[in-house]
Amino acid sequence: MLWIKALHIIFMVTWFAGLFYLPRLFVYHAQTQDEAGRARFMVMERRLFFLMSLGAISTLVLGLILLFRWWWPAPLWLHIKLGLVALLTLYHLYCHRLMQDLRLGRRLRSPRFYRAFNEIPTLLLIAIVLLAVLKPV
C-alpha cells in the first residue's frame, strides 16, 4: 500500500508541474506575433499536455485504488478533497480547450487572463495538501 501511495504522490507532482507550466506557456503563446513562435508553442503545449495527462490519469487511478482499499468509507475531509480533485480535473480539461483555441488562432483570452488562470492550481494544491495532511474534518 505504501508503494501505491508513493506513486500516487509522484504522479500528482508530475500533474501539478504541468498544470503550473502550461498556462504560463499560454501567456507567452498569446503574446507571440510571429508564425514560427506560435508553431513552437503549439508543439510545447501539446507535448506538455500529453505528459501532464499521463500524470493526471495515473494520479486518479492510484487515488481510486487508495480510496477503495484504504479509505472506505471515506471521512468528510476526503469527500472535500475529492471535490477539489474533481475541480482540478475540470481545470485540466479546460486547459485542453484553451490549448485548442490557441492552436486554431482563436485568441479569446488576454495574456493577463492566462496569468490569473495560472494561480488556480496553486490554490487547489494548498487546499488538497492541507486536507490530506491535517485531516481537519
Side-chain angles (χ1 to χ4, degrees):
M1 195 53 72
L2 290 178
W3 278 101
I4 293 171
K5 194 183 229 184
L7 289 172
H8 175 70
I9 293 168
I10 290 166
F11 286 117
M12 183 270 308
V13 170
T14 303
W15 185 16
F16 269 97
L19 290 173
F20 290 149
Y21 192 57
L22 187 62
R24 179 51 57 185
L25 288 177
F26 293 163
V27 171
Y28 302 141
H29 190 157
Q31 292 173 335
T32 300
Q33 301 299 320
D34 63 295
E35 194 57 41
R38 281 193 285 271
R40 187 173 30 239
F41 282 115
M42 283 188 272
V43 169
M44 292 170 68
E45 291 161 359
R46 188 182 72 243
R47 288 179 179 171
L48 179 60
F49 189 82
F50 176 76
L51 290 174
M52 70 186 239
S53 294
L54 289 176
I57 292 166
S58 300
T59 299
L60 296 173
V61 167
L62 293 167
L64 288 173
I65 291 169
L66 288 169
L67 177 66
F68 290 113
R69 298 191 101 206
W70 192 37
W71 282 106
W72 199 255
L76 181 58
W77 68 266
L78 190 53
H79 283 278
I80 297 168
K81 178 188 170 201
L82 293 173
L84 294 174
V85 171
L87 286 175
L88 192 65
T89 303
L90 291 174
Y91 180 92
H92 181 102
L93 295 172
Y94 190 61
C95 281
H96 186 263
R97 172 74 183 268
L98 293 173
M99 187 176 70
Q100 287 179 323
D101 287 344
L102 285 166
R103 181 176 44 211
L104 295 173
R106 295 188 297 226
R107 295 188 182 175
L108 306 175
R109 308 290 184 190
S110 69
R112 186 176 181 174
F113 167 82
Y114 295 119
R115 281 188 189 94
F117 183 71
N118 194 31
E119 301 306 320
I120 294 170
T122 304
L123 299 173
L124 290 171
L125 174 66
I126 292 168
I128 289 168
V129 169
L130 289 176
L131 284 166
V133 173
L134 301 176
K135 300 170 181 55
V137 194

